């Protein structure tokens, strides 16, 4: 699947999760400007990253923090304490974690030539 589509889907799901959690205790907040900041949040991930520890950055309004994908802990940056707690909770959900890891999975494609040299038939006949 295309990493950009996965990121867009995860942004949408994270914003809905944050809004539902913030308004759970006080449903009147749903129409307030407090939850409007979650509509424009950004989830930033570099699918071509060669780093051993894969991370994702989440920007909510002017604040941004970077979280490790494997364990959901914050690596750098800062969000509001409530937002950080909810983002770590969201990252810990298995479905979200699976989709985040899918962004960084690289399938290697092996080149198979159209014309196979006769002395290399064994090598190219069974490419895997």
């Amino acid at each position: 699947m295309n990493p950009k589509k996965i990121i867009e889907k995860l942004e949408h799901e994270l914003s809905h999760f944050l809004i539902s959690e913030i308004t759970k205790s006080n449903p009147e907040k749903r129409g307030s400007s407090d939850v409007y900041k979650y509509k424009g949040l950004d989830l930033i991930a570099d699918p071509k990253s060669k780093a051993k520890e894969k991370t994702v950055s989440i920007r909510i309004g002017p604040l941004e923090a970077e979280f490790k994908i494997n364990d959901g802990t914050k690596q750098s940056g800062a969000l509001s304490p409530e937002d950080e707690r909810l983002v770590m909770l969201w990252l810990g959900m298995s479905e979200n974690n699976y989709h985040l890891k899918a962004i960084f999975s690289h399938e290697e494609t092996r080149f198979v030539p159209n014309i196979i040299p006769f002395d290399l038939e064994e090598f190219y006949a069974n490419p895997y």
Side-chain angles (χ1 to χ4, degrees):
M1 190 172 194
N2 186 355
K4 288 182 181 182
K5 289 183 180 184
I6 296 173
I7 291 172
E8 289 174 5
K9 178 182 181 286
L10 290 173
E11 282 177 350
H12 184 72
E13 288 178 4
L14 177 58
S15 67
H16 281 286
F17 175 78
L18 291 172
I19 291 171
S20 68
E21 289 295 315
I22 294 293
T23 59
K24 192 180 282 186
S25 62
N26 188 0
E28 296 170 358
K29 284 185 176 180
R30 189 168 289 277
S32 71
S33 60
D34 293 340
V35 296
Y36 185 72
K37 66 182 178 180
Y38 300 118
K39 296 281 187 184
L41 71 82
D42 289 325
L43 193 140
I44 304 152
D46 182 15
K48 297 178 182 174
S49 173
K50 300 290 183 191
K52 183 178 180 182
E53 188 73 40
K54 304 299 184 190
T55 60
V56 62
S57 295
I58 297 174
R59 183 180 302 145
I60 300 174
L63 303 174
E64 182 176 349
E66 189 173 18
F67 296 88
K68 295 178 182 177
I69 289 179
N70 289 335
D71 56 3
T73 59
K74 184 176 75 167
Q75 184 169 346
S76 64
L79 298 174
S80 69
E82 180 67 13
D83 290 343
E84 281 184 13
R85 183 184 69 81
L86 291 173
V87 167
M88 284 190 239
L89 182 68
W90 183 81
L91 287 171
M93 295 178 178
S94 61
E95 181 180 334
N96 300 329
N97 196 288
Y98 171 78
H99 289 300
L100 285 168
K101 288 180 180 178
I103 294 171
F104 295 100
S105 67
H106 301 287
E107 292 182 11
E108 291 186 25
T109 56
R110 188 169 171 182
F111 174 72
V112 179
N114 291 334
I115 301 173
I116 300 173
F118 68 92
D119 56 340
L120 297 176
E121 287 177 322
E122 293 177 18
F123 180 73
Y124 286 112
N126 188 7
Y128 299 104

